[in-house]
């Protein structure tokens, strides 16, 4: 930047002359094709003086192409592999829903029967299409007729689908049972178990083919006497596998809950998604128990 400061008409004229001479000298010395662009403006400063402010802009080269940062080049790879559905005939539109590759017939080749036609479209411009989606392994995870408003550049990720599936995974109803069923005795084992559930797996509803599966892990029992929670095998029938011995008589409110190990699957194939919950606990169920002291009877 070249700045010449003078005040008054004569000073302004001299400034223009000096500026022209200096600019000419630059052109003579640096007469290369890439000449700097120079813009000069006459401005008045706060003290009343006039100032010629000249800004020089040199043209840059072609430069590097820049990095492929997010949104920079516009060539961001889609979140799914669309080549997995390139062989389907009638795939009029292809797009990603998370990591699932989907295609639709628009308009659909064959319409559903009247008894399967939906009641209301979500929007006025929605059309009824046949849609099929495949997972990253190329296996179909969902298909059927649905309302369609256009290709979706971004759909729910596998993580979001897994969390949605986990939200619909529920533990079975049960009650906390114990033996003796009413009154227990100090220094005699009391047995605990979960009455009602089976020892089998539990499964959620499918979220675009993604399901959450719970495998029985253990039960947790709090005898209610201040000793704390103890961990037992997943016991669903009367046995001594989960036992506790009270050392004080009294009325206690015991409680217990079920604990499952959780994993996720898509179309029967396991999904390894880091950072998601790997366990599910039921709510606590309470049970009251009376613990008595043993009575010795002396027979003469």
């Amino acid at each position: 930047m070249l700045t010449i400061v003078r005040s008054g008409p004569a000073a302004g004229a001299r400034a223009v002359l000096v500026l022209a001479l200096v600019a000419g000298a630059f052109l003579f010395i640096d007469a290369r094709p890439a000449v700097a662009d120079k813009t000069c403006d006459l401005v008045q400063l706060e003290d009343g003086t006039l100032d010629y402010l000249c800004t020089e802009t040199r043209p840059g080269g072609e430069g590097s192409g820049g990095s492929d940062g997010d949104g920079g080049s516009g060539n961001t790879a889609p979140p799914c592999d669309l080549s997995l559905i390139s062989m389907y005939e009638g795939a009029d539109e292809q797009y990603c829903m998370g990591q699932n590759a989907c295609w639709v017939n628009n308009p659909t080749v064959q319409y559903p029967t009247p008894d399967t036609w939906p009641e209301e479209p979500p929007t006025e411009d929605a059309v009824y299409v046949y849609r099929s989606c495949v997972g990253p392994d190329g296996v179909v995870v969902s298909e059927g007729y649905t309302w369609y408003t256009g290709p979706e550049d971004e759909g729910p990720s596998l993580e979001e689908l897994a969390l949605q599936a986990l939200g619909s995974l529920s533990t079975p109803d049960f009650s906390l049972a114990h033996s003796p069923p009413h009154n227990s005795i100090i220094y005699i084992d009391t047995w605990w178990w979960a009455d009602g559930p089976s020892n089998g797996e539990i499964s959620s509803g499918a979220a675009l083919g993604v399901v959450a599966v719970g495998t029985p892990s253990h039960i947790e029992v709090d005898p209610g006497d201040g000793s704390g929670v103890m961990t037992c095998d997943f016991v669903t029938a009367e046995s001594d596998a989960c036992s506790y011995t009270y050392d004080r008589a009294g009325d206690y409110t015991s409680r217990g809950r079920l604990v499952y190990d959780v994993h996720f699957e898509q179309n029967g194939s396991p999904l390894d998604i880091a950072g998601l919950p790997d366990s599910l606990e039921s709510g606590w169920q309470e049970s009251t128990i009376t613990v008595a002291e043993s009575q010795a009877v002396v027979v003469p």
Side-chain angles (χ1 to χ4, degrees):
M1 177 181 289
L2 175 65
T3 303
I4 302 175
V5 181
R6 290 289 187 274
S7 60
R14 289 195 298 272
V16 173
L17 177 60
V18 173
L19 178 62
L21 291 175
V22 173
F26 276 115
L27 292 175
F28 179 78
I29 295 172
D30 194 15
R32 298 174 295 179
V35 179
D37 293 329
K38 193 180 298 291
T39 302
C40 298
D41 298 300
L42 181 64
V43 298
Q44 185 174 14
L45 303 180
E46 293 180 356
D47 59 0
T49 61
L50 299 177
D51 189 2
Y52 274 98
L53 297 179
C54 297
T55 303
E56 178 180 279
T57 304
R58 296 188 178 275
E62 295 181 357
S64 62
S67 62
D68 294 332
D70 294 339
S73 64
N75 296 323
T76 304
C80 70
D81 185 2
L82 292 176
S83 67
L84 296 173
I85 56 175
S86 60
M87 76 294 294
Y88 287 99
E89 296 182 2
D92 303 307
E93 298 184 28
Q94 303 176 5
Y95 59 97
C96 295
M97 292 186 68
Q99 292 182 321
N100 294 330
C102 302
W103 63 270
V104 298
N105 286 137
N106 187 14
T108 185
V109 176
Q110 181 178 359
Y111 285 93
T113 58
D115 60 334
T116 60
W117 193 269
E119 296 182 359
E120 295 292 339
T123 61
E124 294 182 356
D125 57 347
V127 294
Y128 208 53
V129 300
Y130 179 84
R131 180 175 66 189
S132 177
C133 297
V134 302
D137 56 359
V139 178
V140 175
V141 295
S142 65
E143 58 182 342
Y145 290 95
T146 183
W147 288 112
Y148 180 71
T149 57
E152 301 177 25
D153 294 330
E154 291 290 341
S157 65
L158 281 180
E159 290 82 357
E160 292 169 334
L161 292 174
L163 288 174
Q164 181 179 341
L166 181 62
S168 65
L169 182 65
S170 59
T171 58
D173 295 333
F174 77 99
S175 59
L176 182 64
H178 52 81
S179 179
H182 301 294
N183 296 336
S184 186
I185 301 175
I186 60 172
Y187 307 125
I188 301 296
D189 286 347
T190 300
W191 299 350
W192 305 92
W193 67 95
D195 186 24
S198 69
N199 288 317
E201 292 182 339
I202 57 175
S203 180
S204 72
L208 290 179
V210 177
V211 297
V213 180
T215 303
S217 174
H218 59 274
I219 64 173
E220 295 178 347
V221 176
D222 180 0
D225 62 347
S227 60
V229 177
M230 61 181 184
T231 299
C232 299
D233 293 339
F234 200 92
V235 187
T236 59
E238 183 176 358
S239 75
D240 61 354
C242 185
S243 62
Y244 180 75
T245 302
Y246 289 94
D247 58 6
R248 298 190 306 273
D251 295 323
Y252 300 101
T253 300
S254 59
R255 58 179 187 152
R257 66 177 179 180
L258 312 176
V259 181
Y260 290 82
D261 292 329
V262 174
H263 68 275
F264 300 91
E265 298 177 356
Q266 185 175 42
N267 199 44
S269 300
L271 287 176
D272 185 11
I273 306 176
L276 293 184
D278 58 3
S279 64
L280 177 68
E281 298 85 18
S282 71
W284 291 97
Q285 296 295 322
E286 295 184 347
S287 177
T288 59
I289 182 172
T290 298
V291 180
E293 295 183 357
S294 59
Q295 299 292 330
V297 179
V298 178
V299 179

